[in-house]
Amino acid sequence: MTVERLIDCLWDDDPPRTARSVIQVQISHLRRSFPDVIKTTAGGYLAQIDPNKVDLHRFRDLAVRAQSAADPAEAVVLWNSALSCWRGRPFSGTGSDHLWYTVCRPLLEERWAAVTAWAECAFSLHLYSEIVTRLTPLVREDPLRERLQYLLIAALYRSGQRASALTVFHETRQHLAEELGVDPSPDVMKLHQRMLEDADAGVGEPPTAVGAVNTLVDTPDAPNDPLSEDQTPEFIPRNDLPRDIPDFTGRDYPLRELLSIGEQDTGRSDVFVITGPGGAGKTTLAVHAAHQLVDHYPDGQLFVDLYGFTVDQKPLEAVAALGILLRAVGVEPDRIPDSVEERSALWRAMLAGRRVLVVLDNAYNLAQVSPLLSAAPGSLTLVTSRQDLAVVSGARYISLGMLDDESSLQLFSAVLGPDRVKQEPAQAQSVVRLCGGLPLALRIVGGRMLSRPRWTFAHVEQRLREHQRRFRELRADGQSVEAVFELSYQSLNEIQRHTFLCLGVMIGSSVDLHGATALLECEPPDADDLLQELVSVCLLEEPAVDVYRFHDLIGAYARQKALELLSTDEVEAARRRLSEHYLDMAQCAADLMGPRGNEYKRLETQVSRYRKELATRAEAVAWFEVHRENLVHAVDFFAAIGAGDESWQLADAMWRFYAFHGRTELLISVQEKALDISRAQGNERGSAITLIGLGIAHCLAGRFDISIKSLTEALDIFTRVGDKRGAIRAYGNLGMAYERMGRFHDALSCAWKLLDHAVSEGDRRLEVMQRTNMALIYKMLGDYPKAQEFCEVAMRVQGDGQSETSAHILLLLGEVNVEMGDLDEGISRLEEALEVAQRVGSQAQEIYTRNGLAIALRESGDVEAAIAAHFAALEAGEASAQHSGDAEILNELGVTYARAARYDDAREYHTRALKLARERKERYVEGRALLGLGTLPPDIIDRDVAIDHLTTAARIFADLGVPDADTAQAELHRLCSSD
């Protein structure tokens, strides 16, 4: 039901100003009462529910089956079941004339027709008492129903109640005279005359005594009824299917689903609706499947183009389509009725008892399709449409998306030959992606290349990458991707077109419901309706709940159309609203991700009413995951329009998620753009905060020299402008970079500055963080008692024990316990740390904790379990794209393999760790890798090479001031003294 139709039904021609809002509120109430039932569709709402749970659908299904039943006894049972679906009067109490005439009255006519059909069928079975019982109260509801009056009078007469029959006749004649000034129909008058002449009629009278009555009753009161036996034309089977496409490719699953219907006997007429955007290959799939199903539907295969979305062609009306179908099955043109209802009835009668396949291609809406659907069990109708047509009763649905890369390349191979694709696999892949997997685009490109043998995929790729000529390249032989999209666009109403254009200028490649409310400048319920309307006509995709995106080519068309039709001010205003929404939401999400390093006055935005409320860290992470690419584009937009403060504040809000969820390169790109605009505008505070984000990103990427340079510059700026808190943050991140480089004493110096500041300011959060960092450094320096002490104090200050920092403290305590030989306590702490890390969603802590568990298991003697734990740590890093700990894990895996006497494996993993550590300049890890290699047996590594490795390791450890220097020196001495 469209919103406009709901308004007409409820308020006739005088709706209140708030009509649309009232409907939206009531729909919200209904959705709460009936979860997951009401769906927003093109312009309105749909109650998406099993048709068997809706009385009207069940009634109509039973009525069709009753009409098709050959046995009157079976038909009576079916009619009874159908009529039992009726309870009361539909929509009583609304008081709307429009609703009465357009909805209620037609429904009641269906009921009266069913009652009449039941009575006629019951009369043929001599069920006179049942007819009298059912019809007596009904004819009093509507005394003008002469056919029912006739059947009631005849049933009373045949059951021996002549007096009652005559009474009903006189009441009927009196009512007709008073209301209409007419006499009863000739049939009723003839029946009255025969009753008067047959004074001895009764129940036991032979049928011949009332033969005239039987004749009148058993003959339908419709001499021109097109369904009568003597007028039903001879059915002529035929095949009207278009030519099948020989190079059909892809669509394996939907094709199997369509073909499977031919192998089933569902006992009803089957309908498949195939939906998808223009050019997705809906017709191709339907025709290809129909050709393969020919043997299952021997009584005919028909095809009708309904022209729902065809250039310079209006959609075919149902009455015209029925004329085509009726002529196709042998009905002479002069025998085809005029009205759509009569044609539909004749069409169903012609298909009764036959197995026929009908393809209704390019359907525009439900009203066009409904009268064309067969009711014959064993028949199949395939409907293709760009609309979702979600209210076709009992239908099954196939929604076509784009072809995947593999299927797209197979299509090129089928059209051009496999050799041409194999010659340029990378370029062919690029062309596939530029076409977005849209079958029409792929076929146009394939056709152009087939007629131009000298064209290469590289040449086509270059032409398609030129945005201004992209759609010109996707046009050939009367087919055009742009024209297909244009037809869909023109089918929209004014509000839907404006929505489509605004989405065309969105920031990034997707938008969620709340972002759309900002972009469209409307309330969430309105935005939800508008988005769902575009989804229902296949112009917009909904890959996740309340998340929307364009197909690549549709998105390109939407942007092109928007830039043509919207003013520059409209475009910039829409993009600014969405970007400010992203800034607002990113700040909220960042607050839940962990402590914010800097405090500053946040910019006021105008989109607070569009905000999606986030309550937990997990929700914040999920929000960032959905919008991670869009936020980068939002920073670009702010930078491009000179909004420097917005640019650096958004970049700062993003850093923690990007840093700890494997988006390091994106983080670097974002921070560099924000830094450029801040420097250009002379914004020292923005520059310093962005330099810290840049330093963190480079540190995580293993570029420690660049990291320290950025962080030192930030420290200088904060010191110069007197921002003590900013300087403290710079020291904290410098300490992290120093620690990763193995400059432990420099890291410890930074940590003491931060700890002193935290204690003096009473900042317990910062105190916990610094005590944890210092515990890590003391562990690296081999001072395990001091590391344990700092961990225990940090745990007491922390309190709750259920945070990312808590997981880190437990990890360190576990590792220290292992180093001190208390393996049971160490493993217990590490398992607790893993549980907390997983609960709070800290992927980084999970990776390091799994590696710590592996070391503990190795020291306990369970080498196989240790190896499995090392690999689990590597897999967790791969899954989250966090690789900062890879070299360390690889080293420990090498040590574990050596402990298991699997020396070849040990050499492999130490070598990989060494290469990675040198690339990242992680000196401590480099020394550990060299130490591991130098201690392998002489048949695994050359003695001179081992001496070189140990010498270098000893020097590195000595420079770093760590106890591993003694170990390296001892191993070097052992190796040299073995001569």
Side-chain angles (χ1 to χ4, degrees):
M1 291 283 288
T2 64
V3 174
E4 289 74 17
R5 190 178 177 198
L6 283 168
I7 291 173
D8 291 340
C9 287
L10 293 174
W11 290 287
D12 290 335
D13 297 326
D14 187 28
R17 183 178 56 83
T18 58
R20 183 177 288 269
S21 297
V22 170
I23 287 174
Q24 289 170 346
V25 170
Q26 297 306 320
I27 291 292
S28 297
H29 292 329
L30 287 170
R31 279 176 167 152
R32 285 195 291 272
S33 299
F34 302 96
D36 303 323
V37 169
I38 298 178
K39 173 185 175 185
T40 304
T41 63
Y45 303 98
L46 160 70
Q48 194 167 33
I49 192 171
D50 181 358
N52 288 324
K53 294 185 177 181
V54 180
D55 288 334
L56 182 61
H57 294 321
R58 289 173 48 238
F59 164 76
R60 286 173 172 167
D61 181 62
L62 289 163
V64 168
R65 290 164 58 192
Q67 289 169 347
S68 304
D71 182 0
E74 180 187 356
V76 164
V77 173
L78 290 168
W79 283 122
N80 269 319
S81 297
L83 290 169
S84 70
C85 296
W86 284 83
R87 289 180 296 278
R89 181 170 171 171
F91 301 103
S92 60
T94 56
S96 166
D97 289 341
H98 182 85
L99 186 64
W100 164 249
Y101 286 110
T102 61
V103 180
C104 302
R105 190 167 182 174
L107 288 177
L108 289 172
E109 287 300 324
E110 289 189 53
R111 181 196 182 195
W112 285 119
V115 170
T116 304
W118 169 84
E120 290 175 342
C121 192
F123 200 98
S124 70
L125 296 172
H126 310 296
L127 303 175
Y128 308 126
S129 296
E130 293 185 23
I131 293 172
V132 171
T133 301
R134 172 166 273 166
L135 295 191
T136 298
L138 289 179
V139 295
R140 296 186 182 279
E141 289 182 24
D142 193 347
L144 300 181
R145 299 278 169 186
E146 286 190 79
R147 183 61 174 167
L148 289 179
Q149 295 281 15
Y150 174 86
L151 289 165
L152 174 59
I153 294 168
L156 285 165
Y157 174 62
R158 288 301 303 269
S159 63
Q161 302 178 62
R162 191 173 76 128
S164 296
L166 290 170
T167 299
V168 172
F169 167 77
H170 288 298
E171 290 175 349
T172 300
R173 183 167 63 177
Q174 182 180 357
H175 189 82
L176 288 170
E178 291 175 355
E179 293 293 325
L180 303 176
V182 298
D183 287 329
S185 69
D187 289 338
V188 174
M189 295 301 293
K190 288 178 184 178
L191 175 59
H192 175 244
Q193 186 61 36
R194 291 193 180 277
M195 288 191 297
L196 292 175
E197 295 172 356
D198 188 17
D200 297 326
V203 177
E205 188 176 52
T208 54
V210 286
V213 176
N214 271 330
T215 301
L216 284 171
V217 172
D218 297 340
T219 302
D221 188 19
N224 297 318
D225 186 354
L227 301 182
S228 59
E229 185 176 348
D230 62 337
Q231 293 190 21
T232 302
E234 181 183 357
F235 187 92
I236 301 175
R238 59 188 281 176
N239 186 328
D240 287 344
L241 296 176
R243 182 180 69 89
D244 194 9
I245 294 178
D247 52 14
F248 182 88
T249 304
R251 308 301 189 197
D252 294 337
Y253 176 76
L255 180 61
R256 284 197 303 271
E257 192 171 356
L258 286 173
L259 296 183
S260 68
I261 198 66
E263 302 170 0
Q264 303 172 11
D265 184 7
T266 62
R268 57 186 177 85
S269 60
D270 293 300
V271 180
F272 259 107
V273 179
I274 305 171
T275 63
K282 302 179 291 296
T283 303
T284 301
L285 173 63
V287 170
H288 184 69
H291 276 284
Q292 297 194 44
L293 288 168
V294 165
D295 293 341
H296 295 283
Y297 299 94
D299 295 320
Q301 306 85 38
L302 307 177
F303 180 94
V304 178
D305 189 345
L306 300 177
Y307 300 116
F309 299 88
T310 305
V311 180
D312 300 327
Q313 178 76 50
K314 290 184 177 180
L316 195 67
E317 293 185 1
V319 66
L322 283 165
I324 295 171
L325 290 169
L326 289 169
R327 288 191 294 273
V329 296
V331 181
E332 293 296 330
D334 59 352
R335 303 283 298 279
I336 297 176
D338 293 331
S339 73
V340 67
E341 292 81 6
E342 290 178 307
R343 290 188 179 192
S344 181
L346 179 56
W347 169 240
R348 291 194 295 270
M350 293 297 295
L351 296 189
R354 305 185 189 279
R355 293 182 64 85
V356 176
L357 187 156
V358 182
V359 178
L360 303 176
D361 187 45
N362 204 9
Y364 185 70
N365 57 24
L366 181 63
Q368 185 189 36
V369 169
S370 232
L372 315 182
L373 299 178
S374 167
S379 63
L380 172 63
T381 305
L382 303 180
V383 184
T384 72
S385 179
R386 298 185 198 181
Q387 307 271 15
D388 59 14
L389 300 183
V391 290
V392 178
S393 178
R396 284 187 271 182
Y397 290 82
I398 292 175
S399 179
L400 295 186
M402 302 302 111
L403 292 177
D404 58 25
D405 289 358
E406 182 180 354
S407 296
S408 299
L409 290 172
Q410 287 175 359
L411 193 154
F412 277 149
S413 295
V415 174
L416 302 172
D419 292 340
R420 200 163 172 187
V421 176
K422 290 177 181 176
Q423 288 172 3
E424 300 177 276
Q427 292 79 8
Q429 187 86 29
S430 296
V431 171
V432 161
R433 289 173 180 166
L434 285 168
C435 291
L438 185 70
L440 175 60
L442 295 166
R443 287 198 173 276
I444 290 174
V445 169
R448 288 169 70 87
M449 292 184 69
L450 189 63
S451 63
R452 297 165 174 79
R454 293 185 181 180
W455 274 24
T456 63
F457 279 106
H459 176 66
V460 173
E461 179 187 3
Q462 181 182 356
R463 296 172 73 96
L464 289 175
R465 285 196 184 280
E466 297 178 22
H467 182 73
Q468 65 273 19
R469 66 185 296 176
R470 189 173 185 182
F471 284 112
R472 279 185 291 161
E473 292 300 318
L474 298 176
R475 184 185 305 155
D477 299 329
Q479 291 184 309
S480 166
V481 170
E482 186 175 15
V484 167
F485 297 157
E486 179 69 18
L487 283 169
S488 293
Y489 173 76
Q490 292 299 333
S491 73
L492 304 176
N493 61 38
E494 185 177 348
I495 297 175
Q496 292 168 339
R497 289 182 189 178
H498 181 71
T499 302
F500 181 76
L501 296 177
C502 287
L503 291 171
V505 297
M506 73 172 78
I507 299 291
S509 59
S510 67
V511 68
D512 66 3
L513 173 61
H514 291 80
T517 63
L519 184 68
L520 302 174
E521 208 171 12
C522 63
E523 295 298 329
D526 295 327
D528 182 44
D529 290 346
L530 292 168
L531 294 166
Q532 288 298 329
E533 288 166 9
L534 293 181
V535 170
S536 71
V537 296
C538 301
L539 284 175
L540 193 64
E541 299 173 353
E542 188 178 9
V545 176
D546 286 344
V547 177
Y548 303 89
R549 70 182 179 198
F550 282 122
H551 171 267
D552 289 348
L553 288 177
I554 296 177
Y557 169 80
R559 284 188 291 276
Q560 175 180 298
K561 198 79 176 172
L563 294 176
E564 289 175 7
L565 300 178
L566 299 179
S567 69
T568 303
D569 290 344
E570 285 179 298
V571 171
E572 182 170 320
R575 287 176 169 170
R576 178 139 200 160
R577 288 194 301 272
L578 181 55
S579 295
E580 289 183 351
H581 167 75
Y582 283 142
L583 173 58
D584 179 50
M585 287 299 302
Q587 296 281 21
C588 296
D591 289 339
L592 294 167
M593 289 287 294
R596 300 294 295 274
N598 287 86
E599 291 181 354
Y600 47 80
K601 184 178 180 181
R602 298 180 185 177
L603 295 166
E604 295 292 332
T605 65
Q606 302 300 314
V607 293
S608 60
R609 66 192 176 114
Y610 307 129
R611 179 189 292 175
K612 176 182 179 181
E613 295 300 329
L614 304 174
T616 65
R617 187 180 191 279
E619 290 179 359
V621 170
W623 186 88
F624 273 121
E625 282 287 359
V626 169
H627 299 288
R628 61 181 182 271
E629 302 288 345
N630 300 335
L631 297 175
V632 177
H633 292 291
V635 172
D636 288 344
F637 171 76
F638 283 137
I641 65 172
D645 285 337
E646 288 89 341
S647 185
W648 71 258
Q649 287 194 16
L650 179 54
D652 181 58
M654 295 159 58
W655 79 263
R656 185 179 294 274
F657 168 79
Y658 283 70
F660 295 110
H661 289 80
R663 315 294 177 189
T664 308
E665 296 308 318
L666 269 181
L667 178 58
I668 291 172
S669 173
V670 166
Q671 300 293 334
E672 285 177 342
K673 290 169 184 173
L675 180 60
D676 287 343
I677 185 67
S678 292
R679 281 176 167 166
Q681 295 180 344
N683 188 329
E684 289 196 311
R685 185 176 184 77
S687 297
I689 291 175
T690 308
L691 281 165
I692 286 185
L694 200 56
I696 292 170
H698 281 299
C699 179
L700 292 173
R703 294 186 280 268
F704 301 112
D705 290 340
I706 300 175
S707 172
I708 289 174
K709 180 180 178 182
S710 297
L711 293 168
T712 302
E713 184 178 354
L715 177 60
D716 291 343
I717 294 174
F718 283 130
T719 303
R720 183 167 61 251
V721 300
D723 187 340
K724 189 175 181 181
R725 185 178 180 85
I728 288 297
R729 185 184 178 198
Y731 274 123
N733 288 287
L734 272 170
M736 177 180 70
Y738 287 140
E739 183 271 322
R740 295 304 299 164
M741 290 185 74
R743 294 171 58 176
F744 299 121
H745 292 285
D746 288 334
L748 200 56
S749 175
C750 291
W752 274 113
K753 288 185 175 66
L754 268 71
L755 181 59
D756 290 343
H757 170 80
V759 172
S760 65
E761 295 291 325
D763 189 338
R764 295 168 68 86
R765 177 196 58 78
L766 183 60
E767 179 184 351
V768 169
M769 186 182 300
Q770 294 317 306
R771 288 189 181 279
T772 305
N773 291 338
M774 295 171 76
L776 172 63
I777 298 170
Y778 280 122
K779 181 179 82 74
M780 302 299 293
L781 292 170
D783 192 342
Y784 302 125
K786 185 157 288 199
Q788 187 175 33
E789 175 190 341
F790 271 82
C791 280
E792 289 171 349
V793 174
M795 186 67 80
R796 286 198 300 273
V797 176
Q798 171 79 1
D800 64 7
Q802 296 298 317
S803 66
E804 188 172 9
T805 304
S806 301
H808 192 190
I809 296 170
L810 289 166
L811 165 62
L812 289 172
L813 276 172
E815 290 177 334
V816 168
N817 287 139
V818 171
E819 293 289 352
M820 296 173 69
D822 191 349
L823 296 178
D824 291 340
E825 179 67 15
I827 291 174
S828 175
R829 291 287 194 177
L830 289 165
E831 288 174 342
E832 186 181 357
L834 181 59
E835 181 183 344
V836 173
Q838 291 174 328
R839 186 182 304 120
V840 301
S842 175
Q843 295 168 320
Q845 292 302 326
E846 179 181 349
I847 294 167
Y848 287 112
T849 303
R850 288 189 181 280
N851 191 54
L853 266 172
I855 296 170
L857 290 167
R858 178 183 72 210
E859 298 307 314
S860 70
D862 194 346
V863 176
E864 291 305 317
I867 292 172
H870 285 308
F871 277 110
L874 289 171
E875 288 166 5
E878 185 65 35
S880 62
Q882 295 192 56
H883 300 291
S884 60
D886 282 1
E888 181 180 334
I889 299 169
L890 291 170
N891 248 343
E892 294 298 340
L893 183 55
V895 173
T896 303
Y897 273 130
R899 188 73 59 85
R902 293 171 57 177
Y903 299 117
D904 288 331
D905 290 330
R907 179 179 58 190
E908 176 190 346
Y909 285 98
H910 279 311
T911 302
R912 286 173 58 183
L914 178 62
K915 180 176 182 295
L916 195 55
R918 283 175 169 170
E919 287 174 357
R920 296 179 175 180
K921 297 182 175 58
E922 295 184 27
R923 296 195 68 209
Y924 178 74
V925 180
E926 178 187 355
R928 291 274 295 163
L930 291 168
L931 176 61
L933 287 169
T935 54
L936 292 175
D939 59 331
I940 300 298
I941 189 166
D942 183 78
R943 179 175 179 275
D944 291 338
V945 173
I947 290 173
D948 287 343
H949 285 339
L950 290 171
T951 301
T952 305
R955 185 173 62 250
I956 290 173
F957 291 143
D959 291 344
L960 298 177
V962 294
D964 303 75
D966 294 336
T967 305
Q969 285 290 354
E971 290 294 334
L972 183 61
H973 177 73
R974 178 188 59 79
L975 191 60
C976 292
S977 63
S978 62
D979 287 341

